[in-house]
Each structure stands twice: as structure tokens, then as C-alpha cells.
Amino acid sequence: MLTITPIYAALIAILYVWLSAKVISARRSGKVSVGDGDDKALIKAMRTHSNCAEYAPFALLLIAMVELQGAPSLLVNLLGLLILAGRLMHAYGFGRNPQVVVLRQIGMVLTFAAILVSAAANLVLAL
């Protein structure tokens, strides 16, 4: 049974909805209904949102499998914190104007760490 991963999934879902609201706001400001209208603010909002959509589900799936295989709760929480911190830092760093490049970079390092450590843990636990 999953008891830890849903917490991180819920928190990342809240981040995702917030990023979605930023896209909607940028669309309204730029009066762009479809596409990006070559609006730089909208493009940035869309890519920030898309980046979360591209990485978070895969990481959460791996973390859920680690938890389902009976990994210690400390490991599951560590993985959840890695992906949550990574996604928050990336969204903030990339979404700012100008970008806070170091936060964007740290966010991606944490995201990749969550994915790679989760993948390794899944292999170890499954074998």
C-alpha cells in the first residue's frame, strides 16, 4: 500500500496546477488563445509548466514502485523530497525573469537524482 508517495504526488500536483494558472494568466495577458503567439512571457510559462509535466510523473511512478517494493520510509521520503525540491527550484529559477540559472540547474540535478536513485533502488529491490 502506498502511504508516502501520495503526499509528494499531491504536493507536485498543486505545483502543476499553479504552473497551469500561470500559463492561463500569460495567455490572457497576451491575448493568445492557441499556440504561443511569439509571446516570450507565454513561452516561458508554457515551458516551465511543460517541464514539470515531462519529469514529475516519471519520477513519481518510480518512487511509487520503490515504496510498493517495501523500501524503507526514509528512502521513499528522501526520493519524494528530491523530486519535490527539484521541481520547485526548477520552476522558480526558470520561471523568473531574468532566470535564476543556478536554481534551474540545481532543480534539474535534484530531479535527475530522484529519477536515477529511484531507478537504481527499483533494480536492487527487484533483484
Side-chain angles (χ1 to χ4, degrees), residues 65-90:
M65 287 188 283
V66 167
E67 184 173 6
L68 286 170
Q69 291 189 77
S73 61
L74 179 63
L75 175 61
V76 179
N77 276 296
L78 174 65
L79 295 170
L81 287 171
L82 279 173
I83 191 61
L84 179 61
R87 294 294 77 214
L88 286 168
M89 291 176 84
H90 183 273

Side-chain angles (χ1 to χ4, degrees), residues 25-44:
S25 176
R27 284 191 178 286
R28 287 183 177 160
S29 293
K31 297 181 180 14
V32 178
S33 177
V34 178
D36 60 35
D38 287 330
D39 181 313
K40 290 189 186 300
L42 175 56
I43 293 168
K44 181 172 274 208

Side-chain angles (χ1 to χ4, degrees), residues 15-16 18-20 22-23 41-54 87 90-96:
L15 170 64
Y16 183 80
W18 179 70
L19 294 173
S20 298
K22 291 184 64 85
V23 171
L42 175 56
I43 293 168
K44 181 172 274 208
M46 289 170 64
R47 281 307 307 148
T48 305
H49 173 261
S50 297
N51 192 277
C52 184
E54 292 161 2
R87 294 294 77 214
H90 183 273
Y92 183 81
F94 184 69
R96 301 296 301 167

